[in-house]
Amino acid sequence: MDKRLPDLAAAVAPITDGAVVMIGGFGSSGIPFGLIAALLEQGASGLTVISNNAGAGETGIATLLKAGRVAKVICSYPRTPGSIWFERRFEAGEIALEVVPQGTLAERIRAAGAGLGGFFTPTGYGTLLAQGKETRIIDGVGHVLEAPLRADFALLRAERADRWGNLSFHATARNFNPVMAMAARHAVAEVRQLSDEPLDPEQVVTPGIFVQAVVEYGVRP
Amino acid sequence: MDKRLPDLAAAVAPITDGAVVMIGGFGSSGIPFGLIAALLEQGASGLTVISNNAGAGETGIATLLKAGRVAKVICSYPRTPGSIWFERRFEAGEIALEVVPQGTLAERIRAAGAGLGGFFTPTGYGTLLAQGKETRIIDGVGHVLEAPLRADFALLRAERADRWGNLSFHATARNFNPVMAMAARHAVAEVRQLSDEPLDPEQVVTPGIFVQAVVEYGVRP
Amino acid sequence: MISLSDNALAARVARDIPDGSYVNLGIGKPTHVSAFLPEGREVIYHSENGILGVGPTPPAGQEDVELIDASKRFVTAVPGAAYFEHADSFAMMRGGHIDIAVLGAYQVAENGDLANWATLDEKYPPAVGGAMDLVVGVPTILVMMRHVNRDGSPKLLRRCTFPLTGLGVVSRIYTDLAVLDVTPEGFRLVELTPGNSLSEVQALTGAPILHPMPT
Amino acid sequence: MISLSDNALAARVARDIPDGSYVNLGIGKPTHVSAFLPEGREVIYHSENGILGVGPTPPAGQEDVELIDASKRFVTAVPGAAYFEHADSFAMMRGGHIDIAVLGAYQVAENGDLANWATLDEKYPPAVGGAMDLVVGVPTILVMMRHVNRDGSPKLLRRCTFPLTGLGVVSRIYTDLAVLDVTPEGFRLVELTPGNSLSEVQALTGAPILHPMPT
């Protein structure tokens, strides 16, 4: 078993037009900039992107939005300062947007990865974001029923990986990467360092069973 | 902030008659034998115990069952070889039993800790353990609605702790301990070693926010 | 009218954070509260992007680009810190483990409703972040904001007009002009910024302010 | 009738585990399958108590009392192993991440229903463990069991009489007498233990066995 790939292009090769792609990261940390650049190069379009943010400036997800590759964004916070490409595409009506409270986004992704059919959460009850959703009062508190959120692919950023696909992370670059690994049919991680030795089993954050391929991209942005 | 306690007796002192107590462990690993012995000594009775197993031989939870301190057991597998005290109390009709599929048990505990109102799981659909529960077909698959499971106290076993209550574990002694820490109003961990230095933040498995007290119990069973 | 500076307001909020608390500081001005914590208190700051134990801004040149807070500022980690992933981070928030959250607001209503994520401008894309999770899970929600909008219109209202973040969730509001509690009867004065009168502040508030507690 | 020994049956199951699989071996006899994996295959064994990469039994005196498998046997961890907590472990099972599970059974029905957790003895406390989670999440469920009960009565049936573990979940059954697939039409013979005839095996089976696939 050896999940190591030789380059970023090989890692994104399976992604097809119209795919649902989760992309890890929060703000500027934990974003797989190398894989996103390779995906831009590769050319797949009509993508649904699931991520916390929608890119900033001319980097990361913003490059996919600029190039018109994204049909829909599912995220909690598209309005990072400098999200000009998201704003342009949104104002022009060129992309669909589903805004999800951040914890519900993480939990919907986890539910998909954990094989659950949905969950009741108090988050968002009584707000615009619960409109059209099933609600229920549980122990006197209003709850919203939320569905699992799965993807065809996940593009992840990690610190180290071994040939089994076990991942460790660095500081707050962990964020959405572990849950997205669980929820995608095919999860690919760019890592700062591929390790010839197995990671310490006590220190594995994402076990390799959730990761289909790893590739080294040594740059820490 | 210093969550370290001087002895096991201090750790179990707040437990009252009739309390709901989660107890970590699976088989013989990750069981807080020191805290259980202290609880036996302390004398609280009429307890509801939530744990994967129901004790074996004359050790662990079996000592509480033998002493008649347990009114109800919620677990997945009470029938570990040698669970004689569970079997005696059960056959005599002296304890109530709720059997929960193991993954549903872990997930119900996590749901309580994560502030969720419940979840749909395919586990157990169409079986005796779904009788009386709400069911729903989601994407063509039968699901059962399961409720969060919370506790007044959690008794945990960990490898190391620092004064902030951060925990690390050893091998398969991790098991239910991290989710139980999340789901109890007051979680207490016995640890093989109290550390004067803070744990490495990358290697903390259970962050101290979930742990109210830690006490050293150096024996590894 | 005496209006507290942002720093003075942050210091006023910091005074009310007890020793030993787990606290989430919302993005923007609330992040400054930690700089004003009185000496001798140990408070653990949570940031929803996966850290407990947020420390001060690092010295220039020593930033770790992968160690940031929810405002995307470079931060440090204090001794006793822990890193974790997003589902665990929001379990801390939604599950009632964090003691206090300090949030900014567009509007707060006298019944404790909070509006802090969307305006009525339909061209502006909505962005909710983690505020909705905080308000349902954290038992004490402190709001820190200017008392009025730039045009002088009130932000403290009988009912919010902007889309809600949460229903009946606010415990206390700290503004540049006053501190108010949300009670079952409505806003109740806790204190006035020294130099202001209740009638002056009432005139800038869109709902009645109840008599102060006897002191 | 030729009846495979437990070891021979474990070896027969092991032959069908492809290289690179993630496999959960149920408690009891299925745990022996790993000892018979053909040379040259790397298979990662999952145990629901929190380990991927279960290795062989340690030498006497080198046991780690906190490193056990779901059968509560002392085990080792192979290179590439990982430890995790229970909710994550069952996410692997329920979420479809494990490729194959090998389970024991009291009864299997021709529609793939599995009964392996409770009998009809009401005095005996029920104990379900993790089997219900495995069968809903793992795409390939292999059952490994004796073909008949000790009293000679069949365990392969038109419908189970014991409480079910899961509905329509079994892919293939390996017994001491034969290997059978569960198909939409019912049990279909894959192979007979050499020396046995289909009619002999059919006589010990509580549902029709369809003609073998043409070879």
Side-chain angles (χ1 to χ4, degrees):
Chain A
M1 185 176 293
D2 193 344
K3 298 182 178 179
R4 293 172 293 188
L5 293 179
D7 56 45
L8 295 164
V12 300
I15 302 178
T16 52
D17 288 354
V20 177
V21 184
M22 289 176 175
I23 302 181
F26 178 98
S28 59
S29 72
I31 295 178
F33 285 107
L35 290 169
I36 294 170
L39 177 57
L40 184 70
E41 179 78 12
Q42 186 255 31
S45 66
L47 302 173
T48 293
V49 169
I50 301 172
S51 193
N52 189 62
N53 305 111
E58 305 277 341
T59 65
I61 295 171
T63 64
L64 299 172
L65 287 158
K66 180 179 180 180
R69 304 289 173 71
V70 180
K72 182 176 183 180
V73 170
I74 301 175
C75 74
S76 92
Y77 206 81
R79 225 168 47 198
T80 310
S83 306
I84 48 170
W85 283 105
F86 174 81
E87 285 170 20
R88 281 187 208 175
R89 297 300 177 213
F90 181 78
E91 280 170 26
E94 292 166 353
I95 49 170
L97 172 66
E98 180 180 348
V99 169
V100 182
Q102 197 172 137
T104 299
L105 182 63
E107 197 66 21
R108 288 180 61 191
I109 295 169
R110 181 186 177 277
L116 301 174
F119 56 90
F120 284 102
T121 177
T123 303
Y125 180 79
T127 76
L128 274 180
L129 296 186
Q131 281 185 353
K133 293 186 174 174
E134 181 175 335
T135 61
R136 183 179 296 202
I137 307 296
I138 301 170
D139 290 339
V141 178
H143 285 72
V144 184
L145 180 62
E146 295 284 358
L149 190 57
R150 46 182 64 84
D152 300 312
F153 299 93
L155 305 184
L156 310 174
R157 167 79 183 173
E159 184 69 4
R160 295 180 76 219
D162 58 24
R163 70 174 172 87
W164 296 272
N166 293 310
L167 304 180
S168 67
F169 297 88
H170 174 69
T172 57
R174 199 178 296 196
N175 57 62
F176 280 90
N177 287 294
V179 282
M180 288 180 171
M182 297 169 68
R185 196 166 46 72
H186 190 86
V188 182
E190 70 170 51
V191 301
R192 199 173 65 79
Q193 188 194 15
L194 279 177
S195 170
D196 287 329
E197 296 300 309
L199 302 191
D200 178 345
E202 298 284 4
Q203 292 175 36
V204 170
V205 172
T206 290
I209 192 171
F210 296 128
V211 179
Q212 280 65 49
V214 292
V215 57
E216 191 165 277
Y217 182 66
V219 183
R220 188 182 285 170
Chain B
M1 187 176 291
D2 193 343
K3 299 182 178 180
R4 293 172 293 187
L5 293 180
D7 55 45
L8 296 163
V12 299
I15 302 178
T16 51
D17 288 353
V20 177
V21 184
M22 290 178 174
I23 302 180
F26 179 99
S28 58
S29 71
I31 295 178
F33 286 107
L35 289 170
I36 294 170
L39 177 56
L40 184 70
E41 179 80 10
Q42 187 256 29
S45 65
L47 303 173
T48 292
V49 169
I50 301 173
S51 192
N52 190 62
N53 306 111
E58 305 278 340
T59 65
I61 295 172
T63 63
L64 298 173
L65 287 158
K66 181 179 179 180
R69 304 289 173 70
V70 181
K72 182 177 183 181
V73 170
I74 302 175
C75 74
S76 93
Y77 206 82
R79 225 167 48 198
T80 311
S83 304
I84 47 168
W85 283 105
F86 175 79
E87 286 170 20
R88 280 187 209 175
R89 297 298 177 216
F90 182 78
E91 280 170 28
E94 291 166 353
I95 51 170
L97 172 66
E98 179 180 349
V99 170
V100 181
Q102 197 172 137
T104 299
L105 182 63
E107 197 66 20
R108 288 179 62 190
I109 295 168
R110 181 188 176 276
L116 301 173
F119 57 90
F120 284 104
T121 177
T123 302
Y125 180 80
T127 75
L128 274 180
L129 296 187
Q131 281 185 352
K133 294 186 173 172
E134 181 176 335
T135 61
R136 183 179 297 204
I137 306 297
I138 300 170
D139 291 341
V141 177
H143 285 72
V144 184
L145 179 62
E146 296 282 359
L149 189 58
R150 46 182 65 85
D152 299 311
F153 298 93
L155 305 184
L156 312 174
R157 167 79 185 173
E159 183 68 4
R160 293 179 77 218
D162 59 24
R163 71 173 170 88
W164 296 271
N166 293 310
L167 304 181
S168 68
F169 297 87
H170 174 69
T172 56
R174 200 177 297 196
N175 56 64
F176 280 89
N177 287 295
V179 283
M180 287 180 172
M182 298 167 67
R185 195 165 47 71
H186 190 85
V188 182
E190 69 169 50
V191 302
R192 198 173 65 79
Q193 189 193 16
L194 279 177
S195 170
D196 287 328
E197 295 301 308
L199 301 191
D200 177 345
E202 299 283 6
Q203 292 176 37
V204 170
V205 172
T206 290
I209 193 172
F210 296 128
V211 178
Q212 280 66 48
V214 292
V215 57
E216 191 165 276
Y217 182 67
V219 182
R220 188 182 284 169
Chain C
M1 290 286 283
I2 307 299
S3 169
L4 289 184
S5 68
D6 284 351
N7 281 352
L9 182 55
R12 175 62 192 87
V13 175
R15 257 175 50 202
D16 286 357
I17 311 281
D19 183 41
S21 304
Y22 290 94
V23 176
N24 182 294
L25 301 177
I27 63 175
K29 287 174 187 167
T31 55
H32 299 129
V33 168
S34 59
F36 297 94
L37 192 74
E39 283 289 315
R41 295 186 199 171
E42 183 177 11
V43 166
I44 309 273
Y45 296 101
H46 170 269
S47 192
E48 56 259 43
N49 57 318
I51 174 173
L52 268 171
V54 178
T57 307
Q62 293 182 40
E63 298 88 354
D64 177 339
V65 294
E66 295 190 325
L67 179 47
I68 63 173
D69 69 8
S71 298
K72 284 93 178 177
R73 298 182 317 161
F74 295 122
V75 295
T76 50
V78 300
Y83 300 122
F84 36 83
E85 48 88 0
H86 244 78
D88 286 345
S89 186
F90 279 78
M92 294 174 193
M93 297 154 72
R94 203 193 303 104
H97 305 283
I98 292 173
D99 300 305
I100 296 171
V102 184
L103 298 174
Y106 296 147
Q107 298 176 332
V108 178
E110 63 179 356
N111 63 356
D113 287 358
L114 172 68
N116 80 343
W117 71 284
T119 63
L120 300 174
D121 179 351
E122 297 216 344
K123 278 197 298 192
Y124 206 53
V128 65
M132 285 188 184
D133 302 281
L134 276 171
V135 298
V136 298
V138 179
T140 300
I141 299 291
L142 307 181
V143 164
M144 176 182 167
M145 64 178 191
R146 298 278 112 192
H147 202 91
V148 295
N149 292 305
R150 285 188 192 158
D151 66 2
S153 60
K155 299 173 62 143
L156 290 155
L157 303 169
R158 283 193 176 274
R159 288 293 176 268
C160 295
T161 59
F162 287 170
L164 295 182
T165 305
L167 283 65
V169 296
V170 174
S171 302
R172 179 173 279 195
I173 307 111
Y174 299 79
T175 81
D176 51 325
L177 306 185
V179 180
L180 305 170
D181 273 346
V182 175
T183 73
E185 295 76 36
F187 296 126
R188 181 179 290 278
L189 186 66
V190 175
E191 66 186 43
L192 294 163
T193 297
N196 294 340
S197 72
L198 178 55
S199 62
E200 285 175 314
V201 173
Q202 178 66 73
L204 297 168
T205 304
I209 300 175
L210 302 176
H211 295 299
M213 316 277 277
T215 51
Chain D
M1 290 288 280
I2 308 299
S3 168
L4 289 184
S5 68
D6 285 350
N7 280 352
L9 181 56
R12 176 62 193 86
V13 174
R15 258 175 50 204
D16 287 357
I17 310 281
D19 183 42
S21 304
Y22 290 95
V23 176
N24 182 293
L25 301 177
I27 63 174
K29 286 175 187 168
T31 55
H32 300 232
V33 167
S34 59
F36 296 94
L37 192 75
E39 284 288 315
R41 294 186 200 170
E42 184 175 11
V43 166
I44 309 271
Y45 297 102
H46 170 269
S47 192
E48 56 259 43
N49 56 316
I51 174 172
L52 269 170
V54 178
T57 307
Q62 293 181 39
E63 298 88 353
D64 178 339
V65 295
E66 294 191 326
L67 178 46
I68 62 173
D69 69 7
S71 299
K72 285 92 178 180
R73 296 183 319 162
F74 294 122
V75 296
T76 50
V78 300
Y83 301 122
F84 35 84
E85 50 87 357
H86 245 80
D88 286 346
S89 187
F90 280 78
M92 295 176 192
M93 296 155 72
R94 203 192 305 102
H97 305 283
I98 292 173
D99 300 306
I100 296 171
V102 184
L103 297 175
Y106 296 147
Q107 300 176 331
V108 178
E110 63 179 357
N111 63 355
D113 287 358
L114 171 68
N116 80 344
W117 72 282
T119 64
L120 299 174
D121 179 352
E122 298 214 343
K123 278 197 299 191
Y124 206 52
V128 65
M132 286 188 182
D133 302 280
L134 277 170
V135 299
V136 297
V138 179
T140 300
I141 299 291
L142 307 181
V143 164
M144 176 182 168
M145 65 178 191
R146 297 278 111 190
H147 202 91
V148 295
N149 291 306
R150 286 188 191 159
D151 65 4
S153 61
K155 300 174 63 146
L156 291 156
L157 303 169
R158 284 193 176 275
R159 288 295 176 269
C160 295
T161 59
F162 287 169
L164 295 181
T165 306
L167 284 64
V169 296
V170 175
S171 302
R172 181 173 275 196
I173 306 113
Y174 299 79
T175 80
D176 52 325
L177 306 184
V179 180
L180 305 170
D181 273 347
V182 174
T183 74
E185 295 76 36
F187 295 126
R188 181 179 290 278
L189 186 66
V190 176
E191 66 186 45
L192 294 163
T193 298
N196 293 341
S197 72
L198 177 53
S199 62
E200 284 175 314
V201 172
Q202 178 65 75
L204 297 169
T205 305
I209 299 175
L210 301 176
H211 295 297
M213 317 276 276
T215 53

